[in-house]
Structure formats: structure tokens, C-alpha cells
Amino acid sequence: MADLDKLMNLDGAIAAFQYGDGGKLIDSRVVDQGPLDENMLDLLCHMCAANTCIATMQARGWESVTGNSGFYPVEGFSLIGFNWSVVTHAQYGVVVRNDEVDYESAYQAVSGQAMA
Amino acid sequence: MIKRLLALDGVLAVCQFRDDGEFVEGYGLMPEDEMIRLSKFAHDYKRMVQGNTDQLSMFTQMPGWTPPRGWIVHGQEKSVLSIANLVCLIENQGASVSEVMQELDRLAHR
Amino acid sequence: MSIVSELVSMPGVIAAGEYAYRGDRFSYKGDLEPEQARMASIMCRSTTMGIRMQSDMLGSIYPDCGISPSRGWAVKGPKFSVCVVANVFCFLSAEAPFNDIMQFMTTRLHDDISDMV
């Protein structure tokens, strides 16, 4: 089974993806007749990459100001949307329905994916 | 009321801020000036995530993303979790992200 | 004459407009479809908020860095550029006098470091 296929086995998963530097979509899976297509996923990946970059800058600033470490480098970003959530780690991510999401399992799955 | 989040494993601090970013209250294992900074960061990041989510909806025409409910930034050892005007700092080892998110959601919408 | 009217009368300016820092309200003049202008105002507001936050953060680390609070930003593509100062945005073609327009915007909006951000 392909890696992204495993992510699609998560409860409520409607899409799984891998993106490259800057957010360009490399590979993806979507559920049949779901709300997402490849173009949408490509934009979603770019948004996740942008938010991760900003959070990385903030983690750097935070550590510099407070001396508290543990944030940098930022490894993942999740957005809890109105109906959907996207959970990413490194360059892998999964989109899950909010009414079925388990953030911990989703994050473990995508981070396992990233380290594989 | 938000203080009860500290009872969950791995939770280091929890803060509440107003819509304009002003610090309301905070509890946990960090000095107040850092809690104020954490609230400011959460407020700024929330608005930026909102802006980026608005653009995602606009470009994809896909419903269901906006208005965003919250966000998570996963650091190497610590993570920051936020829903509405609450923000929580956790230690990755020992904390359950799902449990903290559930409690944040409950407190934010009570 | 409003700053938006003055901007659209300048050579090379395709469109100019204003957006509210909060909410969806915007107004504009120039050669953009209303839907394009709406999208432009959303993108400009979002970028302004992000840059404002980043410069505030830099300012909190280095208080004398001179960049905080931020006043505007510009992005340049192969054919078009976008300039934003305060809550006013301006779309330019490559022929537009970029320096003059930035100078005009920063001068006219000099005191407009809004608490509304």
C-alpha cells in the first residue's frame, strides 16, 4: 500500500497529499466524489507552506526574545476550518472532516509518514 | 474557568485574549510578560491564518474552511494550540493534542 | 480629491482602492472587474496583516530597527506591480513611475498609522 493510501485510512479523511518546497503539490489522493480536486489541494498545500514559514519565523523570534526553546524548527501546522481540518508534518498532510477528526492520530500518521 | 486546562497532562500555560489582542488572563508555568507575548502571538497568527484561509476559500471556491475555528503549530518539543480567543502551550511529550483541543473547544464555546 | 481618485489618474495605474482592516468592505476605481477588486482587497488586507505582525515582532526584538509599525509593502511581477500603504492598494503596469507613486502614497498616508489594524 502506498504511503498516502495509509493516510486515507484515517477516520474522516477526504484527502492526503505530499508537497515540495514552497508548497507545490507532488502527489495526492482524494475520496471519490469528495469536495476537493488537485487544483484545490495545490492551493491548500501552498497555504500550509506559507503558514508553516510564518510560524517558523515566529518560533525563531520567540526563542530569541524569551530564551525558551522547543519550538524551532516548526515541524507541523494544522488548520481547524469550519467543517474540515488539515493536519501537516514536514511535507505530508491529510484533510479530515471535523466531526470525525482525531488530531493526535492524524498528526502521528503524517509525522510517521514524513519520517518513513 | 480556563485554569482547569492546567489539570491536563503536558499543559504548560493557557491564556485568553480579547478580539483586539489585549491580554485578558493567563495561567501556567511562565511569567506574565511571556503570557502577554503568547497572547499577542496567538492573536496575530489567528488573524493571519484567517486571512490565508479566506484566500484559500476565495481561490478554490470550496466551502467549509471559513471562518476557521483554530490552529495548531507543532514544534520540536512544544506546541501551541488555539481555538477562538484561547491559546494553550503544551509539551509534546505527555500532552494529548486531541484532549487539549476538545477542552479548548468546550471552553471557547461555553 | 480622494487619494484613490488621484492614484487612478496617474500614468500606468490600472486600479486603486481602499479596504477596511476588518470585514469585507472595500471600494475602488479603475480597470478591474468588481470580483477582481474584491479578491484584490482580500489579498492585500491579508498580506498587510501578515507583514504588520512580522514587523511588530521584529520591533519587539529590536525596538530601534525602524521598521515597526510597518506602513506598507510592494510586490513586483514581470508585467504588474502592487503597492499598498496603510489600507490603500494600487495596481501598476510596468510603465508606471513606481518611485513617484510610492512617494505619493507614503506622503499622503504619512499619518495614517491606524490603530484599527
Side-chain angles (χ1 to χ4, degrees):
Chain A
M1 191 186 282
D3 295 337
L4 294 182
D5 293 325
K6 285 183 188 168
L7 292 179
M8 291 299 285
N9 287 336
L10 286 165
D11 288 343
I14 58 167
F17 55 83
Q18 181 189 4
Y19 61 91
D21 289 341
K24 190 176 177 189
L25 184 67
I26 292 175
D27 195 10
S28 66
R29 303 285 184 278
V30 292
V31 288
D32 287 339
Q33 294 173 349
L36 279 155
D37 61 27
E38 279 209 355
N39 287 333
M40 293 172 170
L41 272 179
D42 181 65
L43 277 159
L44 181 65
C45 290
H46 278 85
M47 187 198 69
C48 290
N51 285 329
T52 303
C53 275
I54 297 291
T56 301
M57 176 275 291
Q58 290 171 319
R60 200 64 153 171
W62 174 269
E63 293 191 359
S64 164
V65 170
T66 65
N68 292 337
S69 60
F71 299 102
Y72 187 91
V74 168
E75 296 179 335
F77 164 78
S78 303
L79 166 70
I80 296 88
F82 194 70
N83 294 329
W84 328 104
S85 289
V86 57
V87 178
T88 69
H89 175 102
Q91 292 172 335
Y92 287 86
V94 63
V95 184
V96 189
R97 293 178 199 282
N98 277 358
D99 50 10
E100 293 181 67
V101 67
D102 175 339
Y103 294 106
E104 206 140 18
S105 305
Y107 190 69
Q108 274 169 5
V110 288
S111 60
Q113 208 70 35
M115 288 182 284
Chain B
M1 188 65 93
I2 64 169
K3 199 175 178 180
R4 69 166 62 163
L5 264 162
L6 290 176
L8 300 180
D9 288 344
V11 174
L12 299 176
V14 57
C15 304
Q16 185 178 13
F17 51 92
R18 288 198 321 222
D19 282 343
D20 63 0
E22 198 70 30
F23 175 74
V24 176
E25 58 177 336
Y27 305 95
L29 302 169
M30 62 202 296
E32 189 174 89
D33 65 319
E34 284 186 17
M35 289 201 205
I36 292 169
R37 278 183 192 278
L38 179 64
S39 297
K40 169 96 176 92
F41 155 72
H43 171 257
D44 287 340
Y45 196 69
K46 173 187 171 183
R47 289 179 73 179
M48 196 205 63
V49 167
Q50 273 175 346
N52 287 347
T53 310
D54 284 347
Q55 292 181 83
L56 175 74
S57 289
M58 179 175 84
F59 289 132
T60 62
Q61 298 292 305
M62 179 184 174
W65 288 109
T66 53
R69 294 169 184 266
W71 50 265
I72 305 170
V73 172
H74 304 265
Q76 213 163 32
E77 295 159 19
K78 296 172 187 167
S79 296
V80 186
L81 291 59
S82 182
I83 288 190
N85 287 2
L86 298 177
V87 58
C88 196
L89 174 65
I90 64 163
E91 232 165 15
N92 293 346
Q93 216 164 23
S96 159
V97 173
S98 300
E99 194 181 8
V100 177
M101 287 301 274
Q102 252 171 22
E103 189 62 13
L104 277 174
D105 195 36
R106 210 178 59 72
L107 286 169
H109 298 105
R110 74 188 148 81
Chain C
M1 201 175 188
S2 73
I3 183 168
V4 170
S5 302
E6 285 187 67
L7 279 168
V8 286
S9 69
M10 291 179 157
V13 173
I14 298 160
E18 285 180 85
Y19 54 85
Y21 286 114
R22 293 177 190 199
D24 298 331
R25 283 178 302 124
F26 72 97
S27 61
Y28 80 104
K29 289 184 177 176
D31 192 16
L32 279 182
E33 295 295 322
E35 178 59 12
Q36 291 175 330
R38 188 183 73 84
M39 288 167 61
S41 71
I42 290 174
M43 286 189 286
C44 290
R45 181 178 53 234
S46 177
T47 305
T48 299
M49 293 309 184
I51 284 176
R52 178 85 176 196
M53 176 200 65
Q54 291 163 41
S55 60
D56 283 355
M57 178 162 267
L58 196 63
S60 76
I61 303 168
Y62 304 110
D64 298 324
C65 69
I67 209 167
S68 178
S70 64
R71 301 187 50 207
W73 55 273
V75 61
K76 193 172 182 346
K79 290 185 183 169
F80 305 108
S81 298
V82 181
C83 302
V84 176
V85 176
N87 63 332
V88 175
F89 65 89
C90 185
F91 278 49
L92 316 176
S93 65
E95 299 78 42
F98 189 89
N99 286 343
D100 293 347
I101 288 166
M102 280 306 279
Q103 184 74 39
F104 171 75
M105 290 178 82
T106 49
T107 305
R108 279 292 300 270
L109 297 162
H110 182 71
D111 298 323
D112 198 12
I113 299 173
S114 178
D115 291 335
M116 292 297 290
V117 175

